[in-house]
């Protein structure tokens, strides 16, 4: 990274943050300021590090926390280099200002994106404090060292608190290239340590977005068309206005990245009154959305499979090779629409003020993104939007889609009050956006006991295509191509081909935990097993024979060792394996199932993850376990279906999730290395569904080709 702060600009920035110490580094095209507050005890929100003269330390987390632990991971990266303990610091979220960018929790990137800039921030400030101590004691810098928020004198054991030095440190040169610790020097990073926020969360003391209130606030419950696309024909608010606490009924709109839909809001003095008023509201909707059908969409996927897709990549000459091959197979695997179903439904507060400024209080995955979108939507300058980021009660991608906050902004502007919008569970599940349903058409060949060719034709709606119109129908989705391409999965074959067909959908879609990986790993890794069985090859051996990458091979061999892959299993028990790379991490799973009645039960899952360097081992394991449960739930229970324009599933009695008594034994293994950090929150999910399906085939001889898989009647299929 190239330092961009010279002494003159550094001092100028220092004065702007109340005599603070500021260190700038460039990430992409964004300059970040890392500041240490001096001469103040206000804990004023100003970039990543604040230390006042009383030695109170505040660290800023630029990666919104939705339960994955980024609040601690971000702080740990700074604290490691700053030489402070996490128990000694206060951690606050960033507020959407560009100096904190990218401010995104998504793509399993909280640690990956922040690994160098946050550590450099801590290291730079530590060096400046060391220099300040050296000058104060008039001793060589080498005779000073930092530990536990103090600078120590090696000669006579004198020490300074950080707050004693911050004023002097703020006048010194900014280190242009601070030396970072080696892995062997880490005290926090890579270790298991308890999260300081757990007790508050489980005792209900943490403040989530849904808990927020601001003075003068009113509540809004919004009625959307049951067919999503329907327009308002008429509104009868008579009964709704009779509900005690209801203030008004307002026509509004739901603004999505690719379109706008009509909606009607009930404004009240409490969320309960607003929701009761919504129940009493009578709205006649047009029939614009009556055509929406997941069955019709599915049929469109299979129809598209009969035609060539747009070519993403090819090695060799797959089509000619496939035609001439003697041992070959074709297979179709379908993934379903899924809701994010986070435990905290969509909610947030927006106030459009008389002076033209806009303030937002919400749990969002991208504080910078909502600031940009709100400014554009409300037609105000970016600097007129303030974002207060709150804890999220889950998200899995949904809270990077800000339709509910734009609704609140529109309503606040109309009624000139702060408006809190809270969606019900029914709205959350029935209105989307969702993980898109998709289809994998696969073709492959086997020669001399080895897989030699593979074509993956991915078919479905493109997230980017729906959000911004690119790719268009007939074009390749480059992001999807990279996900399933052979440069990612590393299978080395003589003949490969990746193609894509976009089947456009009006049903809204968005990133869902693991994005495309969770959908298309299912088909590809099931088909690898299918080819292995066709050629009479053990599935593990089949994969190892076409993998040259040492990291992949180590993950698979570790899985085989930890799962006792080569040991015979008792009758009625089987195992299946799968491997996938996503978000720069490699994950493999071995799923054990046992015969039970007319079906099977998942008995145990062994998961292996190579995510490079990581911050907190305990959090990595927690994310792996969460991915296993979510992967199994998505593979065996969850499904969104539309008929006659409306979503059939309305709440958890229809949109089933895995229950705690159904969770299998889980065993997680992390491969330790010094590679660049990869993702943690999502990569363990994609191998789960194919590993389960491969186990089902190994036990029953039945190869299922559509999600979700009903485990209760496998033998009847």
């Amino acid at each position: 990274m190239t330092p961009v702060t010279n002494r003159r600009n550094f001092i100028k920035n220092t004065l702007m943050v109340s005599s603070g110490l500021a260190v700038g580094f460039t990430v992409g095209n964004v300059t970040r300021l890392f500041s240490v507050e001096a001469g103040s005890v206000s804990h004023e929100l100003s970039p990543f590090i604040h230390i006042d003269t009383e030695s109170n330390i505040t660290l800023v987390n630029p990666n919104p926390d939705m339960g994955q632990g980024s609040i601690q991971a971000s702080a740990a990266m700074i604290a490691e280099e700053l030489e402070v303990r996490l128990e000694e610091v206060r951690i606050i979220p960033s507020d959407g200002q560009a100096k904190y960018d990218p401010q995104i929790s998504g793509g399993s990137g909280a640690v990956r994106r922040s690994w160098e800039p946050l550590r450099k921030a801590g290291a730079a400030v530590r060096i400046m404090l060391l220099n300040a101590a050296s000058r104060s004691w008039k001793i060589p810098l080498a005779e000073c060292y930092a530990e536990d928020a103090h600078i120590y004198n090696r000669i006579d054991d004198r020490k300074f608190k950080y707050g004693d030095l911050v004023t002097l440190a703020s006048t010194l040169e900014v280190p242009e290239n601070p030396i970072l610790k080696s892995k062997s020097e880490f005290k926090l990073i890579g270790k298991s340590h308890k999260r300081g926020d757990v007790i508050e969360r489980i005792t209900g003391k943490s403040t989530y977005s849904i808990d927020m209130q601001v003075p003068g606030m009113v509540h809004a419950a919004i009625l959307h068309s049951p067919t999503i696309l329907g327009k308002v024909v008429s509104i009868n608010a008579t009964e709704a206005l009779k509900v005690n606490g209801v203030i008004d009924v307002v026509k509004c709109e739901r603004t999505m990245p690719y379109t706008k839909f009509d909606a009607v809001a009930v404004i009240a003095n409490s969320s309960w009154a607003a929701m009761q008023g919504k129940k009493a509201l009578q709205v006649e909707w047009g029939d614009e959305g009556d055509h929406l059908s997941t069955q019709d969409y599915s049929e469109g996927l299979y129809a598209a499979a009969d035609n060539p897709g747009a070519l993403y990549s090819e090695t060799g000459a797959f089509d000619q090779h496939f035609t001439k091959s003697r041992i070959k197979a074709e297979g179709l695997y379908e993934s379903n629409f899924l809701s994010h179903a986070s435990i905290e439904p969509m909610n947030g507060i927006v106030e459009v003020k008389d002076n033209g400024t806009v303030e937002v209080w919400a749990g969002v995955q991208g504080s910078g993104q909502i600031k940009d979108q709100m400014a554009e939507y409300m037609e105000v300058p970016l600097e007129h939007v303030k974002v207060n980021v709150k804890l999220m009660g889950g998200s899995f991608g949904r809270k990077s889609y800000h339709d509910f906050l734009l609704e609140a902004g529109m309503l606040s502007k109309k009624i000139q009050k702060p408006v809190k919008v809270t969606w019900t569970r029914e709205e959350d599940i029935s209105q989307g956006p969702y993980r898109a349903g998709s289809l994998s058409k696969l073709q492959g060949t086997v020669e001399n006991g080895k897989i030699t060719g593979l074509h993956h034709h991915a078919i479905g709606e493109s997230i980017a295509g729906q959000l911004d119109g690119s790719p268009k129908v007939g074009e390749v989705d480059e992001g999807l191509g990279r996900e399933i391409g052979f440069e990612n999965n590393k299978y080395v074959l003589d003949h490969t081909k990746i193609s894509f067909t976009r089947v456009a959908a009006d049903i809204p879609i968005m990133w869902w935990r693991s994005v495309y990986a969770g959908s298309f790993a299912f088909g590809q890794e099931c088909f690898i097993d299918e080819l292995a069985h066709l050629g009479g090859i053990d599935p593990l051996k089949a994969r190892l024979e076409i993998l040259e990458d040492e990291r992949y091979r180590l993950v698979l061999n570790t899985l085989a060792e930890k799962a006792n892959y080569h040991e015979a299993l008792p009758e009625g028990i089987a195992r299946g394996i799968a491997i996938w790379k996503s978000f720069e991490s490699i994950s493999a799973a071995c799923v054990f199932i046992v015969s039970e009645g007319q079906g099977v039960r998942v008995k145990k899952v062994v998961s292996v993850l190579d995510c490079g360097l990581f911050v907190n081992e305990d959090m990595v394991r927690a994310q792996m376990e969460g991915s296993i449960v979510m992967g199994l739930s998505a593979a065996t229970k969850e499904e969104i279906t539309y008929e006659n324009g409306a979503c059939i599933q309305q709440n958890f009695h229809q949109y089933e999730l895995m229950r705690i008594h159904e969770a299998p034994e889980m065993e997680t293994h992390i491969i330790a290395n010094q590679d660049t950090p990869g993702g943690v929150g999502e990569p363990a999910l994609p191998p789960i569904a194919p590993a389960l399906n491969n186990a089902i085939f190994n036990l029953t001889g039945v190869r299922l080709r559509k999600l979700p898989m009903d485990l209760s009647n496998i033998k009847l299929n």
Side-chain angles (χ1 to χ4, degrees):
M1 295 187 177
T2 305
V4 295
T5 304
N6 57 32
R7 182 179 177 85
R8 181 183 299 275
N9 287 334
F10 167 64
I11 294 173
K12 185 189 301 182
N13 288 330
T14 291
L15 296 175
M16 292 173 63
V17 291
S18 305
S19 301
L21 176 63
V23 183
F25 296 100
T26 297
V27 180
N29 295 320
V30 180
T31 299
R32 289 180 174 77
L33 293 177
F34 303 94
S35 68
V36 177
E37 195 73 17
S40 170
V41 294
S42 66
H43 297 285
E44 163 185 339
L45 295 181
S46 183
F48 297 111
I49 304 170
H50 307 254
I51 303 175
D52 65 28
T53 52
E54 299 299 316
S55 295
N56 297 305
I57 302 170
T58 301
L59 306 181
V60 180
N61 170 32
N63 302 299
D65 198 297
M66 51 186 162
Q68 83 279 35
S70 64
I71 189 170
Q72 188 178 40
S74 299
M77 287 185 280
I78 302 172
E80 180 69 73
E81 300 289 347
L82 186 59
E83 287 291 359
V84 298
R85 293 180 295 168
L86 287 176
E87 305 86 65
E88 298 172 329
V89 304
R90 174 174 175 252
I91 309 168
I92 60 174
S94 63
D95 62 1
Q97 295 184 61
K99 59 191 172 186
Y100 301 121
D101 279 348
Q103 302 178 88
I104 296 171
S105 282
S108 294
V111 171
R112 288 191 296 142
R113 285 186 288 263
S114 303
W115 180 252
E116 190 168 282
L118 292 189
R119 291 175 61 215
K120 275 194 170 185
V125 171
R126 169 173 48 83
I127 291 168
M128 298 174 86
L129 292 166
L130 285 166
N131 279 317
S134 171
R135 294 190 180 200
S136 297
W137 285 323
K138 296 181 174 56
I139 63 174
L141 182 63
E143 299 298 337
C144 303
Y145 69 96
E147 187 173 9
D148 287 342
H150 289 77
I151 303 297
Y152 289 87
N153 184 326
R154 297 182 192 276
I155 299 172
D156 55 18
D157 292 331
R158 283 181 294 170
K159 64 182 180 181
F160 283 122
K161 294 179 180 179
Y162 280 0
D164 299 334
L165 298 167
V166 69
T167 302
L168 175 58
S170 69
T171 68
L172 305 180
E173 283 291 342
V174 183
E176 290 196 351
N177 191 25
I179 296 174
L180 302 178
K181 289 184 179 181
S182 65
K183 183 180 178 182
S184 63
E185 297 176 293
F186 288 161
K187 300 175 181 177
L188 295 173
I189 292 174
K191 309 295 192 293
S192 285
H193 38 89
K194 294 180 180 179
R195 286 174 54 174
D197 58 344
V198 170
I199 297 299
E200 288 194 349
R201 295 197 186 208
I202 63 177
T203 56
K205 294 179 181 178
S206 293
T207 301
Y208 288 85
S209 175
I210 204 166
D211 299 318
M212 282 301 301
Q213 297 188 52
V214 300
M217 177 184 84
V218 294
H219 294 262
I222 300 179
L223 183 65
H224 302 97
S225 170
T227 62
I228 296 186
L229 304 178
K231 295 181 179 179
V232 171
V233 175
S234 65
I235 302 172
N236 184 345
T238 303
E239 296 302 315
L241 292 170
K242 292 179 182 178
V243 174
N244 186 34
V246 170
I247 299 168
D248 200 0
V249 173
V250 180
K251 184 180 177 183
C252 58
E253 65 184 17
R254 179 187 180 194
T255 300
M256 302 165 81
Y258 66 104
T259 191
K260 294 180 181 180
F261 304 135
D262 284 352
V264 183
V266 176
I267 310 298
N269 58 19
S270 71
S271 58
W272 175 255
M275 290 177 185
Q276 295 307 302
K278 190 179 82 166
K279 290 180 181 178
L281 187 63
Q282 298 175 23
V283 177
E284 181 184 354
W285 300 95
D287 61 3
E288 291 83 2
D290 288 358
H291 66 283
L292 296 183
S293 163
T294 47
Q295 179 60 37
D296 289 349
Y297 173 80
S298 176
E299 291 174 2
L301 299 180
Y302 284 92
D306 292 333
N307 298 299
L311 183 65
Y312 172 76
S313 67
E314 185 172 17
T315 60
F318 180 84
D319 291 341
Q320 297 91 318
H321 169 72
F322 186 76
T323 300
K324 294 176 182 178
S325 293
R326 183 176 60 86
I327 304 176
K328 56 188 175 183
E330 291 187 354
L332 294 166
Y333 291 88
E334 184 179 359
S335 298
N336 49 327
F337 282 88
L338 295 174
S339 173
H340 299 80
S342 57
I343 196 66
E344 178 194 38
M346 304 309 105
N347 70 89
I349 304 169
V350 178
E351 181 179 10
V352 179
K353 303 179 182 181
D354 292 340
N355 62 4
T357 62
V358 181
E359 190 162 3
V360 179
W361 295 261
V364 291
Q365 287 186 235
S367 48
Q369 290 177 330
I370 184 55
K371 184 170 184 173
D372 292 342
Q373 290 179 20
M374 189 63 72
E376 180 180 358
Y377 183 70
M378 303 306 298
E379 298 180 334
V380 300
L382 188 63
E383 60 270 20
H384 285 193
V385 179
K386 180 181 179 182
V387 178
N388 303 281
V389 179
K390 302 302 172 183
L391 290 177
M392 289 173 273
S395 178
F396 312 116
R398 176 59 179 94
K399 289 169 186 167
S400 56
Y401 201 92
H402 302 129
D403 49 347
F404 59 101
L405 291 175
L406 300 183
E407 288 178 330
M410 178 188 189
L411 290 169
S412 178
K413 186 175 182 179
K414 275 193 171 188
I415 67 176
Q416 299 183 340
K417 291 178 181 290
V419 174
K420 181 173 186 176
V421 165
T422 304
W423 282 28
T424 62
R425 177 63 60 197
E426 288 79 6
E427 296 281 341
D428 184 40
I429 289 179
S430 68
Q431 290 290 314
Y434 308 107
R435 183 185 86 170
S438 61
L439 183 70
S440 290
K441 180 180 179 180
L442 294 131
Q443 299 171 303
T445 61
V446 180
E447 294 179 4
N448 301 318
K450 183 179 180 181
I451 299 171
T452 55
L454 182 64
H455 172 204
H456 190 163
H457 180 187
I459 305 166
E461 177 59 296
S462 160
I463 299 172
Q466 189 181 91
L467 294 184
D468 61 25
S470 177
K472 295 179 172 60
V473 172
E475 297 178 343
V476 170
D477 185 315
E478 296 289 338
L480 192 158
R482 287 190 295 271
E483 179 65 51
I484 65 176
F486 294 95
E487 65 270 30
N488 185 55
N489 64 43
K490 303 296 185 183
Y491 287 138
V492 179
L493 303 167
D494 295 332
H495 304 276
T496 68
K497 185 177 179 181
I498 299 294
S499 58
F500 171 69
T501 297
R502 180 184 172 194
V503 177
D506 285 329
I507 299 172
I509 64 168
M510 189 52 171
W511 303 299
W512 185 93
R513 191 176 191 173
S514 78
V515 195
Y516 289 127
S519 301
F520 292 103
F522 172 61
Q524 185 160 305
E525 279 297 290
C526 288
F527 193 66
I528 291 291
D529 257 47
E530 198 169 345
L531 291 174
H533 288 293
L534 180 66
I537 322 165
D538 174 81
L540 174 64
K541 181 181 179 183
R543 287 174 171 83
L544 289 172
E545 285 185 344
I546 57 175
L547 281 171
E548 297 177 356
D549 185 275
E550 288 304 318
R551 288 183 70 180
Y552 273 80
R553 293 180 63 85
L554 179 59
V555 169
L556 272 179
N557 283 320
T558 302
L559 181 72
E561 175 193 346
K562 301 301 182 182
N564 298 315
Y565 182 85
H566 297 292
E567 290 186 6
L569 293 172
E571 186 176 351
I573 299 178
R575 63 169 76 87
I577 64 169
I579 185 170
W580 198 262
K581 180 183 178 183
S582 57
F583 310 104
E584 302 305 318
S585 292
I586 307 163
S587 179
C590 184
V591 175
F592 292 82
I593 60 171
V594 58
S595 180
E596 189 170 83
Q598 293 298 306
V600 301
R601 173 175 56 85
V602 179
K603 178 180 176 64
K604 180 180 179 179
V605 177
V606 179
S607 177
V608 176
L609 179 68
D610 178 351
C611 60
L613 287 165
F614 52 85
V615 174
N616 187 336
E617 181 179 336
D618 186 61
M619 286 196 291
V620 175
R621 294 190 188 281
Q623 289 301 303
M624 293 173 72
E625 291 169 357
S627 292
I628 291 168
V629 171
M630 195 165 179
L632 288 173
S633 185
T636 63
K637 290 181 174 292
E638 301 174 40
E639 184 172 28
I640 289 292
T641 54
Y642 271 68
E643 293 179 10
N644 300 318
C647 184
I648 301 302
Q649 294 74 27
Q650 297 292 307
N651 209 315
F652 289 131
H653 67 294
Q654 294 165 310
Y655 190 80
E656 292 188 65
L657 301 176
M658 174 174 279
R659 303 302 178 96
I660 193 166
H661 72 275
E662 298 171 301
E665 177 187 351
M666 290 177 278
E667 190 177 303
T668 58
H669 300 276
I670 305 166
I671 294 180
N673 58 47
Q674 297 195 48
D675 290 304
T676 302
V680 167
E682 299 166 271
L685 188 149
I688 299 300
L692 171 58
N693 198 20
N694 291 336
I696 290 170
F697 177 83
N698 292 336
L699 182 65
T700 68
V702 174
R703 189 168 294 284
L704 303 179
R705 298 185 179 276
K706 184 175 181 179
L707 297 177
M709 299 176 279
D710 183 357
L711 300 188
S712 67
N713 68 347
I714 297 295
K715 292 179 181 177
L716 298 180
N717 288 335

